[in-house]
Amino acid sequence: LDTKGVAFELFMKDFFIGKMGQYFTPRPVVEFCTTLLNPQKSENVIDPSCGSGGFLLYAMDNVRKFAEKNYDEIEAWKHWHSFAQNNLYGIEINDQIARVCKMNMIIHDDGHTNVIGKDALEDFEEFQKLNKNFKEGYFDIVFSNPPFGATIKKKEVKYLDNFDLAKDAKGITKKTQKTEILFIERCIKLCKPKTGRIAIVLPAGVLTNTSLQNIRDYVLDNCQLLASFSLPESAFSHFGAGIKSSVLYLRRYGKNERKLKDYPIFMGVAKHIGIDATGREDENELMSKGESSILNQYRKYEKSPNKYKRTDSCYSIKLSELRKEGPFNATRYVWRPTFKNQTERIGKIANIINV
């Protein structure tokens, strides 16, 4: 994957850099998300903003590595090729990039079959004209790094009325809505109820602006927020987008599932993700081999969420506190000390005041 990927990126360098940069997700972020969600052969995977196919390729490689460790050569080939042909799906609005994605998948030994060139925000009926499996609640895993900042205008599209997040408090469809907000709802709708998981990259504004609290409430009403991973501002600089962003890890609630009233949420803050602002290799706090890496800390947290002990960059926070404060970004709460009890808290505050 790495050798072919590097060659492909070098060959297509001028195509990706510049105006096409928005179609590319940094490889360390892609690798982190796919390793975190750990796609299996039986699971259906989709990226509704697939760009050049990074998430799909790494999902395919995750299944391939498992197969090669557990089966003989012929069975392994059948195992991951079946997954690539039947379980990988992608949508890309730009026809040129959709073709590039298909070519990228073919270079990496296929998986291009279910990649379509379409606006991922259109009605599901439009997708099913091309492939019957593009339907609501079908996918076990949804990856997405949606386009940031673009505005969808009601007068230009027919589908805005179908989105809950395009409506105001009175239920009236707004004249415009940002693409990244509509993608949040689309990713949740694509995801399988109860067991489906989502990894979505979102700009800081969606996670922090007080005017967008209704968006965050929608997420919490429809999903369990498993984790929030803050990325450095330099994460997308190499691709021409210097914007602060985070990865949200979600599980969609089941249709009749009782919503969890309170639960711990993992928070991770990465200052280095493997590449710097110029694209050069850098320290990778997301997936370094040491125990302190954010991925390893999350795995540790998964085993015993309520007993997890924070590190300098990783900690957990209760849903009740998050709802009280509002923002989802991990950097918001990382500075807060933890206390064994209220007496210790008051004592430390008194010491600070005395100083």
Side-chain angles (χ1 to χ4, degrees):
L1 177 70
D2 289 336
T3 306
K4 291 179 178 179
V6 169
F8 183 77
E9 287 166 29
L10 288 173
F11 181 70
M12 301 296 290
K13 182 179 179 180
D14 292 336
F15 193 69
F16 285 128
I17 300 301
K19 69 175 184 177
M20 293 300 182
Q22 72 266 33
Y23 296 97
F24 206 84
T25 306
R27 178 174 295 175
V29 176
V30 173
E31 184 179 10
F32 171 72
C33 291
T34 49
T35 306
L36 178 71
L37 272 65
N38 190 26
Q40 303 297 305
K41 194 251 182 184
S42 61
E43 295 182 311
N44 293 309
V45 178
I46 189 170
D47 182 351
S49 51
C50 66
S52 58
F55 283 117
L56 302 181
L57 285 171
Y58 272 82
M60 182 169 70
D61 201 52
N62 191 77
V63 173
R64 172 165 33 197
K65 287 177 180 177
F66 172 85
E68 290 175 348
K69 285 181 180 179
N70 293 278
Y71 304 110
D72 62 40
E73 187 175 347
I74 295 176
E75 285 301 313
W77 188 90
K78 289 179 180 179
H79 183 93
W80 70 262
H81 262 263
S82 173
F83 172 78
Q85 185 175 356
N86 301 310
N87 299 71
L88 281 180
Y89 296 80
I91 306 173
E92 174 50 54
I93 189 172
N94 185 297
D95 284 334
Q96 272 187 307
I97 298 294
R99 288 195 293 273
V100 168
C101 177
K102 290 182 180 183
M103 181 170 66
N104 200 2
M105 301 291 280
I106 291 169
I107 287 172
H108 289 87
D109 295 332
D110 221 337
H112 73 287
T113 311
N114 300 314
V115 174
I116 61 173
K118 202 78 174 169
D119 182 351
L121 300 176
E122 287 188 18
D123 299 338
F124 282 100
E125 291 79 6
E126 294 298 316
F127 304 136
Q128 289 167 11
K129 292 176 182 177
L130 301 174
N131 188 312
K132 65 179 182 179
N133 290 333
F134 282 90
K135 55 189 176 183
E136 184 173 345
Y138 182 74
F139 299 94
D140 300 278
I141 292 177
V142 181
F143 293 115
S144 184
N145 175 20
F148 300 168
T151 300
I152 304 297
K153 299 179 180 179
K154 183 179 179 181
K155 64 181 181 180
E156 295 178 356
V157 300
K158 297 179 180 179
Y159 55 70
L160 209 57
D161 286 326
N162 297 329
F163 282 86
D164 295 331
L165 293 181
K167 295 179 172 60
D168 61 21
K170 296 180 180 180
I172 300 172
T173 304
K174 299 177 182 179
K175 292 182 179 179
T176 64
Q177 184 56 285
K178 295 291 186 181
T179 51
E180 61 265 32
I181 291 174
L182 297 178
F183 263 92
I184 293 172
E185 182 174 338
R186 180 47 47 99
C187 286
I188 292 173
K189 292 289 178 65
L190 284 166
C191 197
K192 185 177 292 184
K194 196 170 184 177
T195 58
R197 293 106 67 208
I198 302 166
I200 183 170
V201 182
L202 292 171
V206 175
L207 307 184
T208 60
N209 288 354
T210 54
S211 62
L212 297 178
Q213 183 59 46
N214 66 306
I215 308 300
R216 298 190 288 275
D217 289 339
Y218 178 89
V219 172
L220 294 177
D221 289 342
N222 288 276
C223 299
Q224 179 185 1
L225 176 55
L226 300 174
S228 175
F229 304 97
S230 175
L231 304 176
E233 194 168 329
S234 61
F236 293 86
S237 296
H238 179 51
F239 304 105
I243 186 169
K244 190 79 174 74
S245 58
S246 295
V247 175
L248 292 189
Y249 181 23
L250 310 168
R251 177 186 69 86
R252 185 181 181 185
Y253 282 129
K255 292 179 180 178
N256 299 316
E257 182 179 354
R258 291 183 64 183
K259 309 296 187 295
L260 297 171
K261 292 183 178 180
D262 205 8
Y263 57 86
I265 300 164
F266 184 87
M267 296 279 176
V269 179
K271 295 180 181 178
H272 304 276
I273 63 159
I275 56 171
D276 63 18
T278 64
R280 294 177 181 174
E281 190 172 334
D282 191 16
E283 179 186 357
N284 188 348
E285 295 175 351
L286 292 173
M287 291 188 63
S288 61
K289 294 181 180 179
E291 186 181 339
S292 62
S293 76
I294 290 175
L295 180 64
N296 287 336
Q297 285 297 310
Y298 182 77
R299 294 299 185 217
K300 188 176 180 180
Y301 159 86
E302 265 187 319
K303 294 178 181 179
S304 185
N306 292 311
K307 294 182 180 180
Y308 178 75
K309 294 182 180 179
R310 65 178 298 154
T311 67
D312 290 340
S313 58
C314 299
Y315 62 100
S316 66
I317 185 173
K318 288 284 188 178
L319 172 67
S320 53
E321 187 176 352
L322 194 77
R323 280 194 179 276
K324 182 179 178 181
E325 295 285 341
F328 281 4
N329 58 320
T331 53
R332 169 78 179 220
Y333 313 97
V334 70
W335 60 270
R336 295 186 178 184
T338 54
F339 305 97
K340 293 179 182 177
N341 53 53
Q342 199 66 14
T343 303
E344 182 185 356
R345 179 186 180 93
I346 294 170
K348 289 195 176 184
I349 292 173
N351 288 334
I352 292 171
I353 293 172
N354 290 331
V355 170

